[in-house]
Amino acid sequence: MDIEAVISGIGERNSRAIARAISLVEEGNPGAERVLSSLDPPSVEKAMVAGITGAPGAGKSTLTDKLISHCRGLGKRVGVIGVDPSSPLTGGAIHGDRVRMMQHALDEEVVIRSMATRGRLGGLCASAGAAARIMAASGCDPVIIETVGVGQSEMDIIRIADVTALVSAPGLGDDIQALKAGLLEVADLMVVNKADKPGADMLSMELKEAVGDREGRVLETVASKGEGIAELFRAITDVFGKNVNSGERDRRRCEARRAEVVDWSLEMLRPHLQRMAQGEEVLSGDPRNRARAIVQSLLPPEDR
Amino acid sequence: MAEEKRIRRVLIGKPGLDGHDRGAKVIARALRDSGFEVIYTGIRRTPEQIAAAAVQEDVDAVGLSLLSGAHMELFPEVVEHLKQRGAGDIPVIGGGIIPEEDVRALKEKGIRKVFTPGTSIQEIADAFRELEPEGA
Ligand SMILES: Nc1nc2c(ncn2[C@@H]2O[C@H](COP(=O)(O)OP(=O)(O)O)[C@@H](O)[C@H]2O)c(=O)[nH]1
Ligand SMILES: [Mg+2]
């Protein structure tokens, strides 16, 4: 499929074109730049990007599956990006999120893509952000990004997403203290899934106490039975709507785009840096000082 | 700065009615450990669902695992549905309890490689790695 066909196919909602476009970005193919500059700005601007994060087994994929059904009922076209970590040793990854979403496999209005972090700088930020914009340009609104809440990726997701929901569930052993370390402050919504299980009320109570639940930031769901899904989606769109009106959405997007620019720049510089480092007498002189000299040589005089 | 083009993303699907996915999961993990990004779709998928997922995921290859019986219908149906979606270039590999005489017939129907019980995980990973897209 050539670049022209990819570009025109995105607006035509062609599955193969959308998928190829995302691959071009992932592979660092030069054609990606033409594709990305062709995306319809109003569609990208309008689409809500929702992040779903939390511990493995909390029910994120089941929730996403039910959110898809709910959105389809509202006539919305939905994009889903499932991010899983790449093995640092082999580069391999397993993506199992689709197992819970196969009921939508033949629905052309549901676009699902699995992505591995591929050990990039900035984790998933650079590629998943671009993938979300490609989906948005093909008419997807919302785009849902599911990430496993371990390590850096959950902070990345909060950066890319307009609204983030942190999913927990009773019996996973992720205690409030661990959740508290950073995420509670930045996640917009806290979802206690598996509310059918013992311990859910306790978990909700503790979360409400921790965040001071005045605005209904803590919600209970039973994803496996589809309970609480409409309420969750309404809460997500409420946060989004409020942030659009207050300018907070644009402020967040601005910050995210800036970070993405830095990630891409570093990524693009890497091969040049590698070449420059090769030309050096590697064993003479301290590496840090050599790095300084290389960077200085790249900077305009006034910044040296 | 494009990475060298190589077979990297693969989809492992289990068409048909048998409910055992241990074999498919073992293969998925082994492929991951050989450096592939593996998309696993779960058990009891229709050939059309598998083809649609393969297109959306833009995989470099599809692996089908089937224990019992219906490979002669189901494997070629996946190839057919890929073609219908403009993705006939995605190579399909199949594995399962497949009699020798069926292997040749399946290859004639576009299944690029066929594995029978006893094939080592290493051989399977190598087979994926050595695949070339149709017409490349
Ligand atoms: N009891 C109960 N089980 C659930 C609920 N939601 C999901 N599960 C189960 O939890 C397991 C993990 O779900 P999954 O969506 O894959 O979790 P993820 O790893 O966070 O994506 C599966 O076996 C689901 O069926 C729920 O509300 N109640
Ligand atoms: Mg999941």
Coordinates of all heavy atoms in Angstrom, one line a residue, chain A residues 141-235:
Chain A
D141 N -14.0 8.7 18.0 CA -14.1 9.6 19.1 C -15.2 9.0 20.0 O -16.3 9.0 19.7 CB -14.6 11.0 18.6 CG -14.8 12.0 19.7 OD1 -14.4 11.7 20.9 OD2 -15.4 13.1 19.5
P142 N -14.7 8.4 21.1 CA -13.4 8.5 21.8 C -12.3 7.6 21.2 O -12.7 6.6 20.5 CB -13.7 8.2 23.2 CG -14.8 7.1 23.1 CD -15.6 7.6 21.9
V143 N -11.1 7.9 21.6 CA -10.0 6.9 21.5 C -9.6 6.5 23.0 O -9.4 7.4 23.8 CB -8.8 7.5 20.8 CG1 -7.6 6.5 20.8 CG2 -9.1 8.0 19.4
I144 N -9.7 5.2 23.2 CA -9.4 4.7 24.5 C -8.0 4.1 24.5 O -7.7 3.2 23.7 CB -10.4 3.6 25.0 CG1 -11.8 4.2 25.0 CG2 -10.1 3.1 26.4 CD1 -12.9 3.2 25.2
I145 N -7.1 4.4 25.5 CA -5.8 3.8 25.5 C -5.7 3.0 26.8 O -5.9 3.6 27.9 CB -4.7 4.9 25.5 CG1 -4.8 5.8 24.3 CG2 -3.3 4.2 25.5 CD1 -3.7 6.8 24.2
E146 N -5.5 1.7 26.7 CA -5.3 0.9 27.9 C -3.9 0.6 28.1 O -3.2 0.2 27.2 CB -6.1 -0.5 27.7 CG -5.8 -1.4 28.8 CD -6.4 -2.8 28.7 OE1 -7.4 -3.0 27.9 OE2 -6.0 -3.7 29.4
T147 N -3.4 0.9 29.3 CA -2.0 0.5 29.7 C -1.9 -0.1 31.0 O -2.7 0.1 31.9 CB -1.1 1.8 29.8 OG1 -1.7 2.7 30.7 CG2 -0.9 2.5 28.5
V148 N -1.0 -1.0 31.1 CA -0.8 -1.7 32.4 C -0.1 -0.7 33.3 O 0.9 0.0 32.9 CB 0.1 -2.9 32.3 CG1 0.3 -3.6 33.6 CG2 -0.5 -3.9 31.3
G149 N -0.6 -0.5 34.5 CA -0.1 0.5 35.4 C 1.1 0.0 36.1 O 1.1 -0.2 37.3
V150 N 2.2 -0.2 35.4 CA 3.5 -0.4 36.1 C 4.5 0.5 35.5 O 4.6 0.8 34.3 CB 4.0 -1.9 35.9 CG1 3.2 -2.8 36.8 CG2 3.9 -2.3 34.4
G151 N 5.3 1.0 36.4 CA 6.5 1.8 36.0 C 6.1 3.1 35.3 O 5.1 3.8 35.7
Q152 N 6.8 3.4 34.3 CA 6.7 4.7 33.7 C 5.5 4.9 32.8 O 5.0 6.0 32.7 CB 8.0 5.0 32.9 CG 8.1 6.3 32.2 CD 8.0 7.5 33.2 OE1 8.5 7.4 34.3 NE2 7.3 8.6 32.8
S153 N 5.0 3.8 32.3 CA 4.0 3.9 31.3 C 2.7 4.6 31.8 O 2.0 5.2 31.0 CB 3.6 2.5 30.7 OG 3.0 1.7 31.6
E154 N 2.4 4.4 33.1 CA 1.2 5.0 33.6 C 1.3 6.5 33.6 O 0.3 7.2 33.4 CB 0.8 4.4 34.9 CG 1.8 4.6 36.0 CD 1.6 3.7 37.1 OE1 0.7 2.8 37.0 OE2 2.2 3.8 38.2
M155 N 2.5 7.0 33.9 CA 2.7 8.5 33.9 C 2.6 9.0 32.4 O 2.1 10.0 32.2 CB 4.0 8.8 34.5 CG 4.0 8.7 36.0 SD 2.6 9.7 36.7 CE 2.8 9.5 38.5
D156 N 3.2 8.2 31.5 CA 3.1 8.6 30.1 C 1.6 8.7 29.6 O 1.3 9.6 28.9 CB 3.8 7.5 29.2 CG 5.3 7.6 29.4 OD1 5.8 8.7 29.8 OD2 6.0 6.7 29.0
I157 N 0.8 7.7 30.1 CA -0.6 7.7 29.6 C -1.3 8.9 30.1 O -2.1 9.5 29.4 CB -1.3 6.4 30.0 CG1 -2.6 6.2 29.3 CG2 -1.6 6.3 31.5 CD1 -2.4 6.0 27.9
I158 N -1.0 9.3 31.3 CA -1.7 10.5 31.9 C -1.3 11.7 31.0 O -2.1 12.6 30.8 CB -1.3 10.6 33.3 CG1 -2.1 9.6 34.1 CG2 -1.6 12.0 33.8 CD1 -1.7 9.4 35.5
R159 N -0.1 11.7 30.5 CA 0.3 12.8 29.7 C -0.4 12.8 28.3 O -0.9 13.8 27.9 CB 1.8 12.7 29.5 CG 2.5 14.0 29.4 CD 4.0 13.9 29.5 NE 4.6 13.1 28.5 CZ 5.9 12.9 28.4 NH1 6.7 13.5 29.2 NH2 6.4 12.1 27.5
I160 N -0.6 11.6 27.7 CA -1.2 11.6 26.4 C -2.7 11.8 26.4 O -3.3 12.4 25.6 CB -1.0 10.2 25.7 CG1 0.5 9.9 25.6 CG2 -1.6 10.2 24.3 CD1 0.7 8.5 25.0
A161 N -3.3 11.2 27.5 CA -4.8 11.2 27.5 C -5.4 12.5 28.0 O -4.8 13.2 28.8 CB -5.2 10.1 28.5
D162 N -6.6 12.8 27.5 CA -7.3 14.0 28.0 C -7.9 13.7 29.4 O -8.0 14.6 30.2 CB -8.4 14.4 27.0 CG -7.9 14.8 25.7 OD1 -7.0 15.7 25.6 OD2 -8.4 14.3 24.6
V163 N -8.3 12.5 29.6 CA -8.9 12.1 30.8 C -8.4 10.7 31.2 O -8.3 9.9 30.3 CB -10.5 12.0 30.7 CG1 -11.1 11.6 32.0 CG2 -11.1 13.2 30.1
T164 N -8.0 10.5 32.4 CA -7.4 9.2 32.8 C -8.2 8.6 34.0 O -8.5 9.3 34.9 CB -6.0 9.4 33.3 OG1 -5.2 10.0 32.2 CG2 -5.3 8.0 33.6
A165 N -8.5 7.3 33.8 CA -9.2 6.6 34.9 C -8.2 5.5 35.4 O -7.7 4.8 34.6 CB -10.5 5.9 34.4
L166 N -8.1 5.5 36.7 CA -7.2 4.5 37.3 C -8.1 3.4 37.9 O -8.9 3.6 38.7 CB -6.4 5.2 38.5 CG -5.6 4.3 39.4 CD1 -4.5 3.5 38.6 CD2 -5.0 5.1 40.5
V167 N -7.9 2.2 37.4 CA -8.8 1.0 37.7 C -8.1 0.2 38.8 O -6.9 -0.2 38.6 CB -9.1 0.2 36.5 CG1 -10.0 -1.0 36.9 CG2 -9.6 1.0 35.4
S168 N -8.8 -0.1 39.9 CA -8.3 -1.0 40.9 C -9.4 -2.0 41.2 O -10.6 -1.9 40.7 CB -7.9 -0.3 42.1 OG -8.9 0.5 42.6
A169 N -9.1 -3.0 41.9 CA -10.1 -4.1 42.2 C -9.7 -4.7 43.5 O -8.5 -4.8 43.9 CB -10.2 -5.1 41.1
P170 N -10.7 -5.2 44.3 CA -10.4 -5.9 45.5 C -9.7 -7.2 45.3 O -9.9 -7.8 44.2 CB -11.8 -6.1 46.2 CG -12.7 -6.1 45.1 CD -12.2 -5.1 44.0
G171 N -8.8 -7.5 46.2 CA -8.2 -8.8 46.1 C -6.9 -8.9 45.2 O -6.4 -9.9 44.9
L172 N -6.5 -7.7 44.8 CA -5.3 -7.7 43.9 C -4.0 -7.4 44.8 O -2.9 -7.5 44.3 CB -5.4 -6.6 42.8 CG -6.3 -7.0 41.7 CD1 -6.3 -5.8 40.7 CD2 -5.9 -8.3 41.0
G173 N -4.3 -6.9 46.0 CA -3.2 -6.7 46.9 C -2.5 -5.4 46.6 O -1.4 -5.1 47.2
D174 N -3.0 -4.6 45.6 CA -2.4 -3.3 45.5 C -3.0 -2.3 46.5 O -4.1 -1.9 46.3 CB -2.5 -2.7 44.0 CG -3.9 -2.7 43.5 OD1 -4.8 -3.0 44.3 OD2 -4.1 -2.5 42.3
D175 N -2.2 -2.1 47.5 CA -2.9 -1.3 48.6 C -2.8 0.2 48.3 O -2.2 0.7 47.4 CB -2.3 -1.6 50.0 CG -0.8 -1.2 50.0 OD1 -0.4 -0.3 49.3 OD2 -0.1 -1.8 50.8
I176 N -3.6 0.9 49.1 CA -3.8 2.3 48.9 C -2.5 3.1 48.9 O -2.3 4.0 48.1 CB -4.7 2.8 50.0 CG1 -6.1 2.3 49.8 CG2 -4.7 4.3 50.1 CD1 -6.9 3.0 48.7
Q177 N -1.6 2.6 49.8 CA -0.3 3.3 49.8 C 0.4 3.3 48.5 O 0.9 4.3 48.0 CB 0.6 2.6 50.9 CG 0.3 2.8 52.3 CD -0.2 4.2 52.6 OE1 -1.3 4.5 52.9 NE2 0.7 5.2 52.5
A178 N 0.4 2.2 47.8 CA 1.0 2.1 46.5 C 0.3 3.0 45.5 O 1.0 3.7 44.7 CB 1.1 0.6 46.1
L179 N -1.0 2.9 45.5 CA -1.8 3.7 44.6 C -1.5 5.2 44.8 O -1.4 6.0 43.9 CB -3.3 3.5 44.8 CG -3.8 2.2 44.2 CD1 -5.3 2.0 44.6 CD2 -3.7 2.2 42.7
K180 N -1.3 5.5 46.1 CA -1.2 6.9 46.5 C 0.1 7.5 45.9 O 0.1 8.7 45.6 CB -1.1 7.0 48.0 CG -2.3 7.6 48.7 CD -2.1 7.8 50.2 CE -3.3 8.4 50.9 NZ -3.1 8.2 52.3
A181 N 1.1 6.7 45.8 CA 2.4 7.2 45.3 C 2.3 7.8 43.9 O 2.6 7.2 42.9 CB 3.5 6.1 45.4
G182 N 1.7 9.0 43.9 CA 1.8 9.7 42.6 C 0.5 9.7 41.8 O 0.0 10.7 41.4
L183 N -0.1 8.5 41.6 CA -1.2 8.4 40.6 C -2.5 9.0 41.1 O -3.2 9.6 40.3 CB -1.4 6.9 40.3 CG -0.6 6.4 39.2 CD1 -1.0 4.9 39.0 CD2 -1.0 7.1 37.9
L184 N -2.8 8.9 42.4 CA -4.1 9.4 42.8 C -4.2 10.9 42.5 O -5.3 11.3 42.2 CB -4.2 9.1 44.3 CG -4.5 7.7 44.8 CD1 -4.9 7.6 46.2 CD2 -5.6 7.1 43.9
E185 N -3.1 11.6 42.7 CA -3.2 13.0 42.5 C -3.5 13.4 41.0 O -4.2 14.3 40.7 CB -1.9 13.7 42.9 CG -1.6 13.7 44.4 CD -1.0 12.4 44.8 OE1 -0.7 11.5 43.9 OE2 -0.7 12.2 46.0
V186 N -2.9 12.6 40.1 CA -3.0 13.0 38.7 C -4.1 12.3 37.9 O -4.6 12.8 36.9 CB -1.6 12.7 38.0 CG1 -0.7 13.8 38.3 CG2 -1.1 11.4 38.3
A187 N -4.6 11.1 38.4 CA -5.7 10.5 37.7 C -7.0 11.3 37.9 O -7.2 11.8 39.0 CB -5.9 9.1 38.2
D188 N -7.8 11.4 36.8 CA -9.0 12.2 37.0 C -10.1 11.4 37.7 O -10.9 11.9 38.5 CB -9.6 12.6 35.6 CG -8.6 13.5 34.9 OD1 -8.4 14.6 35.3 OD2 -8.0 13.0 33.9
L189 N -10.2 10.1 37.5 CA -11.2 9.2 38.0 C -10.6 8.0 38.6 O -9.6 7.4 38.1 CB -12.2 8.8 37.0 CG -13.0 10.0 36.3 CD1 -13.7 9.5 35.1 CD2 -14.0 10.5 37.3
M190 N -11.2 7.5 39.7 CA -10.7 6.2 40.3 C -11.9 5.2 40.2 O -13.0 5.5 40.6 CB -10.5 6.4 41.8 CG -9.1 6.5 42.3 SD -8.1 7.8 41.5 CE -8.9 9.2 42.3
V191 N -11.6 4.1 39.5 CA -12.6 3.1 39.3 C -12.3 1.9 40.2 O -11.2 1.3 40.1 CB -12.7 2.6 37.8 CG1 -13.8 1.6 37.6 CG2 -12.9 3.8 36.9
V192 N -13.3 1.6 41.0 CA -13.2 0.3 41.8 C -14.0 -0.7 41.0 O -15.2 -0.7 41.1 CB -13.7 0.5 43.2 CG1 -13.7 -0.9 43.9 CG2 -12.8 1.5 44.0
N193 N -13.3 -1.6 40.2 CA -14.0 -2.6 39.5 C -14.2 -3.8 40.3 O -13.6 -3.9 41.4 CB -13.2 -2.9 38.2 CG -13.9 -3.8 37.3 OD1 -15.2 -3.7 37.1 ND2 -13.3 -4.8 36.7
K194 N -14.9 -4.8 39.8 CA -15.2 -6.0 40.6 C -16.0 -5.7 41.9 O -15.7 -6.2 42.9 CB -14.0 -6.9 40.9 CG -13.1 -7.1 39.6 CD -12.1 -8.2 39.9 CE -11.2 -8.3 38.6 NZ -10.2 -9.4 38.7
A195 N -16.9 -4.7 41.7 CA -17.7 -4.3 42.9 C -18.6 -5.4 43.4 O -19.2 -5.3 44.4 CB -18.5 -3.1 42.6
D196 N -18.6 -6.6 42.6 CA -19.4 -7.7 43.1 C -18.6 -8.6 44.1 O -19.1 -9.5 44.6 CB -19.8 -8.6 41.9 CG -18.6 -9.0 41.0 OD1 -17.6 -8.2 40.9 OD2 -18.6 -10.1 40.5
K197 N -17.3 -8.2 44.3 CA -16.5 -9.0 45.2 C -16.3 -8.4 46.6 O -16.4 -7.2 46.7 CB -15.1 -9.2 44.5 CG -15.1 -10.1 43.4 CD -13.6 -10.3 42.9 CE -13.3 -11.7 42.7 NZ -11.8 -11.9 42.4
P198 N -16.1 -9.3 47.6 CA -15.9 -8.7 48.9 C -14.7 -7.8 48.9 O -13.7 -8.1 48.2 CB -15.7 -10.0 49.8 CG -15.5 -11.1 48.9 CD -16.1 -10.7 47.5
G199 N -14.8 -6.7 49.7 CA -13.6 -5.9 49.8 C -13.8 -4.6 48.9 O -13.0 -3.7 49.1
A200 N -14.7 -4.6 48.0 CA -14.9 -3.5 47.1 C -15.3 -2.2 47.8 O -14.8 -1.1 47.6 CB -15.9 -3.8 46.0
D201 N -16.3 -2.4 48.8 CA -16.8 -1.2 49.5 C -15.6 -0.6 50.3 O -15.5 0.6 50.3 CB -17.9 -1.6 50.5 CG -19.1 -2.0 49.7 OD1 -19.2 -1.6 48.5 OD2 -20.0 -2.6 50.3
M202 N -14.9 -1.5 50.9 CA -13.7 -1.0 51.7 C -12.8 -0.2 50.9 O -12.3 0.9 51.2 CB -13.0 -2.2 52.3 CG -12.0 -1.9 53.3 SD -12.7 -1.2 54.8 CE -11.2 -1.1 55.8
L203 N -12.4 -0.8 49.7 CA -11.5 -0.1 48.8 C -12.0 1.3 48.3 O -11.3 2.2 48.3 CB -11.3 -1.0 47.6 CG -10.2 -0.6 46.5 CD1 -8.9 -0.4 47.2 CD2 -10.1 -1.7 45.5
S204 N -13.3 1.3 48.0 CA -13.9 2.6 47.6 C -13.8 3.6 48.7 O -13.5 4.8 48.5 CB -15.4 2.4 47.3 OG -15.6 1.6 46.2
M205 N -14.1 3.1 49.9 CA -14.1 4.0 51.1 C -12.7 4.6 51.3 O -12.5 5.8 51.5 CB -14.5 3.3 52.3 CG -15.9 3.8 52.9 SD -16.4 2.7 54.2 CE -15.0 2.6 55.3
E206 N -11.7 3.7 51.2 CA -10.3 4.2 51.4 C -9.9 5.2 50.3 O -9.3 6.2 50.6 CB -9.4 3.0 51.4 CG -9.5 2.2 52.6 CD -8.6 0.9 52.6 OE1 -8.3 0.4 51.4 OE2 -8.2 0.4 53.6
L207 N -10.3 4.9 49.1 CA -10.0 5.8 48.0 C -10.7 7.1 48.2 O -10.1 8.2 48.0 CB -10.4 5.2 46.6 CG -9.4 4.1 46.1 CD1 -10.1 3.4 44.9 CD2 -8.1 4.8 45.6
K208 N -12.0 7.1 48.5 CA -12.7 8.4 48.7 C -12.0 9.2 49.8 O -11.9 10.4 49.7 CB -14.1 8.1 49.1 CG -15.0 7.7 47.9 CD -16.4 7.4 48.2 CE -17.1 6.9 47.0 NZ -18.4 6.3 47.3
E209 N -11.6 8.5 50.9 CA -10.9 9.2 51.9 C -9.6 9.8 51.4 O -9.3 10.9 51.8 CB -10.6 8.2 53.1 CG -10.6 8.8 54.4 CD -10.6 7.6 55.5 OE1 -11.6 7.0 55.6 OE2 -9.5 7.4 56.0
A210 N -8.9 9.0 50.6 CA -7.6 9.5 50.2 C -7.7 10.7 49.2 O -6.8 11.6 49.3 CB -6.8 8.4 49.5
V211 N -8.7 10.7 48.4 CA -8.8 11.8 47.4 C -9.8 12.9 47.9 O -9.8 14.0 47.2 CB -9.2 11.4 46.0 CG1 -8.2 10.4 45.5 CG2 -10.6 10.8 46.0
G212 N -10.5 12.7 49.0 CA -11.5 13.7 49.4 C -12.6 13.8 48.3 O -12.5 14.7 47.5
D213 N -13.5 12.8 48.3 CA -14.3 12.7 47.2 C -15.5 13.6 47.2 O -16.7 13.3 47.4 CB -14.9 11.2 47.1 CG -15.7 11.0 45.8 OD1 -15.1 11.4 44.8 OD2 -16.8 10.4 45.9
R214 N -15.2 14.9 46.8 CA -16.4 15.8 46.7 C -17.0 15.7 45.4 O -18.2 15.8 45.2 CB -15.9 17.2 47.0 CG -15.6 17.5 48.5 CD -15.0 18.9 48.6 NE -13.8 19.1 47.8 CZ -12.6 18.7 48.1 NH1 -12.4 18.1 49.3 NH2 -11.6 18.9 47.3
E215 N -16.2 15.5 44.4 CA -16.8 15.6 43.0 C -17.1 14.3 42.4 O -17.2 14.2 41.2 CB -15.8 16.4 42.1 CG -15.3 17.7 42.6 CD -13.8 18.0 42.4 OE1 -13.5 18.3 41.2 OE2 -13.0 17.8 43.3
G216 N -17.2 13.3 43.2 CA -17.5 12.0 42.6 C -16.4 11.4 41.7 O -16.7 10.9 40.7
R217 N -15.2 11.5 42.2 CA -14.1 11.0 41.5 C -13.9 9.5 41.6 O -13.2 8.8 40.8 CB -12.8 11.6 41.9 CG -12.5 13.0 41.3 CD -11.3 13.6 41.9 NE -10.1 13.0 41.4 CZ -8.9 13.1 42.1 NH1 -8.8 13.8 43.2 NH2 -7.8 12.5 41.6
V218 N -14.6 8.9 42.6 CA -14.5 7.4 42.8 C -15.8 6.7 42.3 O -16.9 7.1 42.8 CB -14.2 7.1 44.3 CG1 -14.1 5.6 44.5 CG2 -13.0 7.8 44.8
L219 N -15.7 5.8 41.4 CA -16.8 5.1 40.9 C -16.7 3.6 41.1 O -15.6 3.0 41.0 CB -17.0 5.3 39.4 CG -17.4 6.7 39.0 CD1 -16.2 7.6 38.7 CD2 -18.3 6.6 37.7
E220 N -17.8 2.9 41.2 CA -17.7 1.4 41.3 C -18.3 0.8 40.0 O -19.3 1.3 39.5 CB -18.5 0.9 42.5 CG -17.9 1.2 43.8 CD -18.5 0.4 45.0 OE1 -19.4 -0.4 44.8 OE2 -18.0 0.6 46.1
T221 N -17.7 -0.3 39.5 CA -18.2 -0.9 38.3 C -18.1 -2.5 38.6 O -17.3 -2.9 39.4 CB -17.4 -0.6 37.1 OG1 -16.0 -0.9 37.3 CG2 -17.5 0.8 36.7
V222 N -19.0 -3.2 37.8 CA -18.8 -4.6 37.7 C -18.7 -4.8 36.2 O -19.7 -5.0 35.4 CB -20.0 -5.4 38.2 CG1 -19.8 -6.9 38.1 CG2 -20.3 -5.0 39.7
A223 N -17.5 -4.7 35.7 CA -17.3 -4.7 34.2 C -17.8 -6.0 33.6 O -18.4 -6.0 32.5 CB -15.8 -4.6 33.9
S224 N -17.6 -7.2 34.3 CA -18.0 -8.4 33.7 C -19.5 -8.5 33.5 O -20.0 -9.3 32.6 CB -17.5 -9.6 34.6 OG -17.9 -9.4 35.9
K225 N -20.3 -7.7 34.2 CA -21.8 -7.7 34.0 C -22.2 -6.4 33.4 O -23.4 -6.2 33.3 CB -22.5 -7.9 35.4 CG -22.2 -9.2 36.0 CD -23.1 -9.4 37.3 CE -22.6 -10.5 38.1 NZ -22.7 -10.2 39.6
G226 N -21.3 -5.5 33.0 CA -21.7 -4.3 32.4 C -22.3 -3.3 33.3 O -22.9 -2.3 32.9
E227 N -22.1 -3.4 34.6 CA -22.7 -2.5 35.6 C -21.8 -1.3 35.9 O -20.6 -1.4 36.1 CB -23.0 -3.2 36.9 CG -24.1 -4.2 36.8 CD -24.3 -5.1 38.0 OE1 -23.9 -4.7 39.1 OE2 -24.9 -6.2 37.9
G228 N -22.4 -0.1 35.8 CA -21.7 1.1 36.1 C -21.0 1.7 34.9 O -20.3 2.7 35.0
I229 N -21.2 1.1 33.7 CA -20.4 1.5 32.5 C -21.0 2.8 32.0 O -20.2 3.7 31.7 CB -20.5 0.4 31.4 CG1 -20.0 -0.9 31.9 CG2 -19.8 0.9 30.2 CD1 -18.6 -0.9 32.4
A230 N -22.3 3.0 31.9 CA -22.9 4.2 31.5 C -22.4 5.4 32.4 O -22.1 6.5 31.9 CB -24.4 4.1 31.4
E231 N -22.4 5.1 33.7 CA -22.0 6.1 34.7 C -20.6 6.5 34.5 O -20.2 7.7 34.6 CB -22.3 5.6 36.1 CG -23.7 5.5 36.5 CD -24.4 4.2 36.0 OE1 -23.7 3.4 35.3 OE2 -25.6 4.0 36.2
L232 N -19.7 5.5 34.2 CA -18.3 5.7 34.0 C -18.1 6.6 32.8 O -17.3 7.6 32.8 CB -17.5 4.4 33.9 CG -16.1 4.5 33.5 CD1 -15.3 5.4 34.5 CD2 -15.4 3.2 33.4
F233 N -18.8 6.2 31.7 CA -18.6 7.0 30.5 C -19.0 8.4 30.7 O -18.4 9.4 30.2 CB -19.3 6.3 29.3 CG -18.9 7.0 28.0 CD1 -17.6 6.9 27.5 CD2 -19.8 7.7 27.3 CE1 -17.2 7.5 26.3 CE2 -19.5 8.4 26.1 CZ -18.2 8.3 25.6
R234 N -20.2 8.6 31.4 CA -20.6 9.9 31.6 C -19.6 10.7 32.5 O -19.3 11.9 32.2 CB -22.0 9.9 32.3 CG -22.7 11.3 32.2 CD -24.2 11.2 32.7 NE -24.9 10.0 32.2 CZ -25.4 9.1 33.0 NH1 -25.4 9.3 34.4 NH2 -26.1 8.1 32.5
A235 N -19.1 10.1 33.5 CA -18.1 10.8 34.3 C -16.9 11.2 33.5 O -16.3 12.3 33.6 CB -17.6 9.8 35.5

